[in-house]
Amino acid sequence: MEATIDTSSNQKPKIAIIGAGPTGLLSCRHLKDIADVTVFEAKSTVGGIWNYSDITTDNHPNLAQDPFFQLYGNLHSSLYADLVCNLPRHCMTYKDFPHKKNMPYVLNSKQFLQYLNDYSDHFKLRGWVEFETLVISVNLTKNVSNTEIENLGLNSEEPRKFIVTTIRMDKPEAKKHRFYDYVIVCNGHYSKPFIPKIPGQEEFEGKQIHTHDVRTIDPELFHKKNVLILGTNISANDQIHLLLGERARDQKVEVNKIFITGTNMKFLPNSTEFAPWMKAGKLVLKGAEAKPMPPVQSESSRSGSWLSRWFGRGGYQHVPNEESKEAPSSNSFFSCCSRRRKGTNANPSAGIEKSQNPPVTPQASTPKEGVKCLGKGFEVTFNDGTTETVHTIIYATGYLHSLPFLTNTSDNIIEFPKDDPGFYFGPLYMRTFAIKEPSLIFIGLCSRLIPVHPTYERQVMLVKQVIEGKVKLPSQSQMLAELEEELQKYDASSYGRKGYYLFGSNYTATQFNQDMLKMNTLEEDESYQVITPIEETLINCFLAGNVGHLKTLNYGQFLDGVPYFPTSSKF
């Protein structure tokens, strides 16, 4: 028995899309021609997380009167001023809409936001968006009585699958209720900060701040101060460059010393990027051992087992203790990539047999990484046994998934484990379709991939084919069985299900793309193979501890003069 998505009606389905950021705009563009679409966006413009705001929880005029904060428990924006992207624009290009020729290979946040605005104008998407409108709940109509439906001002004789309740950001007291056949969640996953629990946090007298709230270089927090960065991935790298680089010098802010610790410390001692700062004593690694990393040398080695062990989540993570736990980084865009083979169109009505990748036995890194506790005053004790004076702690520890408009109902379409603050939720099929109700759909949940936006656009195109009835999902029991088999691999790994939405050794971004290719009915878009030669270089930067080089690489050696025009006529 196939999953129940009704496509028999001649009437256009009604689709609610939550969020007008990158994935919400993609969803609107591809679905507006086959459905009656409404995009709900809490901001006053498109772009989502790419809209910079200098408002944080520290300087907000009235958090109690902010509807978004009251619903989510955090503010939305996480950008710091003048953020530069970590990947070339080819990895951030949408179908049928190339970047302008005069754009650099690596964009800053303002340039990508302009691209999103131009995209919205080109495909006339703004007319489908209700701005300054916040979705506060999504309910299954079948669990609401006819009397309750009529009390909401809806016609109980014309029900659809979901009741979506919204409020205006400027008038939160007035609720509006509407029926929809599908709900597509595009609210992102870079807004709810994860701050690990560490003994002594309440007694520590220094400043503690998450990268979510870092906007500029505040002299009060950093000038002549010792700073601890807890975290070792891209946002941590950005903070190091922010505090020790040209911008700090221009502002005449001189950090006394930066300590850094967290998972993946093995990459950093060999870093040529950080070597001058480490030699000068400005950057101190806590709990790291220098071990050479083998380079990625060939196509065959890239798909071989050693890269899965070194680069995959299952083979390289270690948590020293519960208190110093760093989130599996949700702001790292890497995968164990192999060249995409040309996909073949599978029977759309058949169950999907996913690509298999043998689980990797977890290997513990040094237990000296991480923070043991914070002390009274400004003391920080590390797991390597040392104690340092620290005035400011920056948590570069990633973000959590947050879906209050679903978890505040009794429908339980999706659930978070009780001991999980927001790393894993489910059950989802293909990390996209809610298995209990496949008309509830999620786009762009996953991280650690190089072709970021091409992958998300493929997700949307697959969803479109499912809604059109061109692709049939397996039965609920089949989807649950397949998910359970996959989750067993995560349960056996050091990070458990917390790594489920982070591509790695258990399931790579390449496998995800291949599985979508098998399901869909279109020919593979070979334009994306232009990105493939870049992948080895990007991975080598990461393995060498030189993540900052992603922003400064000479991408022209791979891309100059190479045609690149992904088209919506192909997948």
Side-chain angles (χ1 to χ4, degrees):
M1 181 179 177
E2 296 164 352
T4 55
I5 289 187
D6 184 9
T7 58
S8 60
S9 174
N10 292 325
Q11 189 178 19
K12 277 189 175 184
K14 293 188 67 177
I15 299 178
I17 298 173
I18 302 176
T23 56
L25 295 174
L26 282 172
S27 299
C28 183
R29 181 259 162 128
H30 285 283
L31 298 176
K32 64 184 178 64
D33 293 331
I34 68 162
D36 180 3
V37 169
T38 306
V39 183
F40 296 110
E41 171 54 53
K43 296 180 183 293
S44 60
T45 186
V46 301
I49 197 72
W50 292 93
N51 286 285
Y52 173 81
S53 171
D54 57 7
I55 300 297
T56 69
T57 51
D58 285 337
N59 62 18
H60 192 288
N62 192 345
L63 289 172
Q65 297 298 317
D66 188 307
F68 188 96
F69 183 86
Q70 291 303 308
L71 180 66
Y72 282 87
N74 56 266
L75 298 177
H76 185 252
S77 179
S78 295
L79 288 189
Y80 60 81
D82 303 321
L83 180 142
V84 177
C85 300
N86 304 304
L87 294 170
R89 65 175 189 258
H90 287 54
C91 299
M92 307 173 74
T93 297
Y94 297 163
K95 289 178 179 291
D96 308 320
F97 197 72
H99 287 274
K100 295 177 181 178
K101 291 183 179 180
N102 62 342
M103 285 291 101
Y105 278 121
V106 178
L107 307 176
N108 61 40
S109 57
K110 294 178 182 177
Q111 289 167 329
F112 186 62
L113 177 61
Q114 186 60 53
Y115 175 79
L116 295 176
N117 275 277
D118 292 344
Y119 181 84
S120 301
D121 293 337
H122 179 78
F123 291 105
K124 298 178 173 57
L125 303 182
R126 297 180 199 273
W128 303 86
V129 183
E130 288 192 17
F131 292 107
E132 298 188 24
T133 303
L134 182 68
V135 174
I136 62 171
S137 67
V138 175
N139 294 84
L140 282 172
T141 305
K142 67 180 182 180
N143 294 335
V144 182
S145 70
N146 287 343
T147 300
E148 290 174 307
I149 289 174
E150 291 172 359
N151 287 339
L152 295 176
L154 300 172
N155 185 352
S156 61
E157 296 182 359
E158 298 180 5
R160 295 176 186 261
K161 192 151 290 183
F162 299 100
I163 298 175
V164 174
T165 301
T166 62
I167 58 173
R168 292 280 303 172
M169 293 290 287
D170 58 347
K171 296 180 179 179
E173 68 281 355
K175 297 179 180 179
K176 190 172 183 178
H177 313 277
R178 281 168 275 191
F179 280 133
Y180 287 96
D181 300 293
Y182 298 88
V183 173
I184 300 182
V185 180
C186 301
N187 71 330
H189 51 92
Y190 293 117
S191 287
K192 189 174 183 64
F194 170 66
I195 298 180
K197 294 181 180 179
I198 301 174
Q201 281 174 315
E202 294 181 359
E203 289 78 21
F204 183 71
E205 295 179 18
K207 177 69 174 180
Q208 300 179 64
I209 185 172
H210 193 277
T211 53
H212 173 71
D213 289 320
V214 175
R215 295 293 184 269
T216 57
I217 303 173
D218 185 344
E220 185 177 340
L221 297 181
F222 302 120
H223 186 56
K224 300 297 183 182
K225 302 292 176 64
N226 289 344
V227 178
L228 166 62
I229 297 177
L230 186 58
T232 56
N233 285 289
I234 288 179
S235 60
N237 183 285
D238 283 349
Q239 297 306 310
I240 292 172
H241 282 274
L242 189 72
L243 296 176
L244 296 179
E246 183 177 349
R247 192 184 308 171
R249 291 194 298 271
D250 290 344
Q251 293 184 220
K252 295 182 171 52
V253 173
E254 183 182 358
V255 174
N256 183 43
K257 189 178 295 186
I258 292 178
F259 303 102
I260 182 169
T261 192
T263 57
N264 287 337
M265 288 295 290
K266 288 183 180 179
F267 296 134
L268 299 184
N270 305 301
S271 171
T272 57
E273 177 185 345
F274 292 151
W277 292 326
M278 289 189 286
K279 185 177 180 179
K282 284 292 188 180
L283 181 62
V284 180
L285 312 184
K286 305 298 288 187
E289 295 178 357
K291 290 187 178 181
M293 297 295 151
V296 183
Q297 295 179 338
S298 67
E299 190 69 30
S300 60
S301 70
R302 181 164 12 123
S303 57
S305 61
W306 77 262
L307 182 56
S308 291
R309 289 196 300 271
W310 282 107
F311 205 68
R313 171 63 57 188
Y316 205 79
Q317 299 303 312
H318 172 70
V319 181
N321 56 54
E322 184 66 26
E323 290 76 18
S324 63
K325 196 171 291 185
E326 177 188 349
S329 174
S330 57
N331 35 25
S332 182
F333 302 131
F334 294 92
S335 64
C336 306
C337 297
S338 59
R339 182 178 294 276
R340 293 186 186 85
R341 58 178 174 77
K342 188 171 182 178
T344 56
N345 292 336
N347 180 351
S349 63
I352 308 305
E353 182 180 346
K354 285 194 176 181
S355 308
Q356 295 299 311
N357 190 44
V360 177
T361 302
Q363 299 174 355
S365 57
T366 170
K368 295 181 180 180
E369 299 173 346
V371 172
K372 182 178 181 180
C373 64
L374 309 184
K376 292 182 179 180
F378 300 93
E379 286 191 354
V380 175
T381 301
F382 297 87
N383 284 323
D384 64 3
T386 61
T387 297
E388 304 286 358
T389 297
V390 173
H391 304 99
T392 301
I393 298 175
I394 300 177
Y395 293 98
T397 44
Y399 294 87
L400 302 170
H401 296 285
S402 183
L403 305 163
F405 48 85
L406 291 169
T407 55
N408 63 8
T409 75
S410 59
D411 292 326
N412 298 323
I413 307 175
I414 58 98
E415 298 178 77
F416 289 86
K418 292 182 180 179
D419 60 345
D420 186 333
F423 297 119
Y424 172 79
F425 71 91
L428 300 189
Y429 180 67
M430 287 289 291
R431 293 164 173 79
T432 305
F433 302 94
I435 295 178
K436 294 180 183 179
E437 179 43 73
S439 297
L440 176 62
I441 296 163
F442 299 83
I443 302 296
L445 292 177
C446 296
S447 302
R448 298 181 79 224
L449 64 160
I450 289 173
V452 182
H453 295 279
T455 299
Y456 295 162
E457 187 156 22
R458 278 178 164 172
Q459 261 190 294
V460 175
M461 293 176 70
L462 179 61
V463 167
K464 179 181 179 181
Q465 294 176 49
V466 171
I467 293 174
E468 290 179 304
K470 295 177 180 179
V471 170
K472 303 296 183 184
L473 298 178
S475 67
Q476 185 179 91
S477 60
Q478 286 176 305
M479 291 190 287
L480 284 170
E482 195 171 320
L483 174 64
E484 184 58 35
E485 181 181 356
E486 185 180 12
L487 287 176
Q488 289 176 8
K489 299 176 184 179
Y490 289 92
D491 291 340
S493 70
S494 61
Y495 253 96
R497 298 185 184 189
K498 294 179 181 180
Y500 180 74
Y501 293 108
L502 305 172
F503 290 126
S505 61
N506 283 322
Y507 189 56
T508 70
T510 299
Q511 289 173 300
F512 183 57
N513 276 275
Q514 289 173 347
D515 287 337
M516 289 194 291
L517 279 166
K518 290 178 184 178
M519 289 182 72
N520 109 99
T521 60
L522 297 175
E523 179 185 352
E524 179 180 4
D525 193 335
E526 295 184 351
S527 294
Y528 293 141
Q529 292 186 6
V530 171
I531 301 172
T532 302
I534 304 171
E535 295 173 347
E536 286 185 4
T537 301
L538 297 182
I539 293 172
N540 276 330
C541 287
F542 186 84
L543 293 176
N546 295 324
V547 178
H549 289 177
L550 301 179
K551 304 173 188 289
T552 59
L553 282 173
N554 176 20
Y555 290 104
Q557 63 183 309
F558 304 105
L559 303 172
D560 280 352
V562 180
Y564 184 67
F565 192 84
T567 173
S568 57
S569 63
K570 295 182 179 181
F571 195 72

